[in-house]
Amino acid sequence: MAVFDDIGYEDFRQMAMDDSLSPHEKIGFPNAYRDAHEAAIFADIESKLANLARRSQNVLDIGPGCAGLPRLLMDACRLREHSLVLIDSPEMLAHLPDASGVIKLPGFYPDCNDALQPWIGRFNVIICYSVFQYIFVEASFWKFLDLSIQLLAPGGQMLIGDIPNVSKRKRFFASDAGVRFHQDFTQTSEVPHVDFRAVEKDKIDDAVILGVIMRARAQGCDAYWLPQGESLPMANRREDVLIIKP
Ligand SMILES: C[S@@+](CC[C@H](N)C(=O)[O-])C[C@H]1O[C@@H](n2cnc3c(N)ncnc32)[C@H](O)[C@@H]1O
């Protein structure tokens, strides 16, 4: 199974209901990409979101899926007495346990605007991990960004994490390290094809990430473009954006 890029919210709903799939496969990942890596991924997320280490914060996870990461987040939130709001399809949320302090809001973000009105200006942490690539294609990503900024409390932090960046991917696969990686992965001597002038329909590139950072800054937030920890499974082609409301 490859990492699925050309799927969306409705496909994830179907995958959530498919009992033949593992939790990782239900969220579009081969088991090998996540199985042994979730603790390191969560540690990387925690290292970027300092508010998670405080007590009694309001936390929002957009697109938590149903594998290990939301469970690690639920444990961390319980320990520090945070409130946790989870937004995903009802089928995906049904796989996560109910718990006190956890609110499940079924729906498609950012169209579930009404249910979020009571939370405007109240979230100390927003996590959107490995989801922005779907929102970029299926929703207005400016609406996604603008609503998220409105939802942040003063001092609030938002991590748009695990963004597949086609520009970064090209830089990597055009490098010697990228060629070696490709040859190890495919067990061939093939050189990966890289076209820096290709039209990349529905793909996120440097321009999109810079646009997100510039718009967040123009709307009063600090915003930073961050690498992933080197040990993370897709660190050579994915990266993160951290937005902080002063
Ligand atoms: C690749 S999975 C990532 C899951 C989790 N964040 C993780 O990294 O383990 C993408 C998740 O986002 C959800 N999703 C996709 N588009 C969404 C949207 N517009 N609103 C809410 N959830 C969405 C999918 O249902 C799926 O659970």
Side-chain angles (χ1 to χ4, degrees):
M1 181 185 176
V3 180
F4 288 132
D5 278 338
D6 53 350
I7 55 176
Y9 184 82
E10 282 304 321
D11 302 291
F12 281 114
R13 288 180 81 158
Q14 299 305 320
M15 285 150 68
M17 289 187 287
D18 184 343
D19 293 336
S20 71
L21 300 178
S22 72
H24 300 303
E25 290 168 343
K26 285 183 197 298
I27 61 162
F29 286 110
N31 292 324
Y33 276 72
R34 281 294 184 92
D35 244 351
H37 298 286
E38 284 180 327
I41 294 172
F42 191 65
D44 195 58
I45 293 173
E46 281 192 305
S47 74
K48 289 165 177 159
L49 291 169
N51 284 348
L52 275 179
R54 298 173 185 263
R55 297 201 79 79
S56 303
Q57 303 286 288
N58 292 326
V59 180
L60 168 65
D61 190 346
I62 303 166
C66 64
L69 284 189
R71 292 162 205 277
L72 291 170
L73 181 63
M74 287 172 91
D75 289 347
C77 288
R78 188 176 48 248
L79 201 68
R80 296 172 197 132
E81 299 176 328
H82 301 331
S83 298
L84 174 61
V85 177
L86 304 169
I87 300 182
D88 208 313
S89 66
E91 292 78 5
M92 206 54 96
L93 292 178
H95 289 290
L96 294 176
D98 293 312
S100 85
V102 176
I103 300 168
K104 293 179 178 176
L105 288 183
F108 179 97
Y109 190 91
D111 296 353
C112 48
N113 205 330
D114 288 350
L116 284 166
Q117 286 309 304
W119 291 95
I120 294 288
R122 291 184 55 206
F123 283 112
N124 310 101
V125 173
I126 301 179
I127 300 172
C128 180
Y129 201 83
S130 220
V131 182
F132 182 56
Q133 61 269 40
Y134 307 109
I135 288 176
F136 175 69
V137 176
E138 291 196 300
S140 152
F141 74 99
W142 296 130
K143 213 166 146 188
F144 155 84
L145 183 66
D146 297 348
L147 175 61
S148 303
I149 289 173
Q150 285 182 303
L151 288 169
L152 281 177
Q157 304 163 341
M158 174 176 194
L159 186 70
I160 309 174
D162 209 32
I163 306 170
N165 177 357
V166 72
S167 309
K168 180 173 170 64
R169 189 178 199 286
K170 285 179 190 177
R171 287 190 290 274
F172 178 62
F173 283 115
S175 72
D176 291 346
V179 172
R180 280 197 302 276
F181 177 90
H182 178 81
Q183 292 177 342
D184 283 352
F185 186 78
T186 57
Q187 292 294 297
T188 64
S189 54
E190 183 183 279
V191 174
H193 173 71
V194 177
D195 179 357
F196 282 100
R197 296 198 315 166
V199 173
E200 298 293 356
K201 187 174 170 294
D202 289 344
K203 300 270 189 256
I204 295 167
D205 65 359
D206 285 342
V208 175
I209 295 180
L210 268 177
V212 167
I213 289 173
M214 292 303 292
R215 188 172 175 96
R217 289 182 173 204
Q219 298 188 151
C221 293
D222 294 318
Y224 307 94
W225 195 335
L226 303 176
Q228 299 191 331
E230 271 181 25
S231 66
L232 266 54
M234 287 186 273
N236 54 23
R237 50 205 189 280
R238 294 195 173 198
E239 49 204 340
D240 299 347
V241 168
L242 176 67
I243 297 172
I244 302 178
K245 194 181 256 190

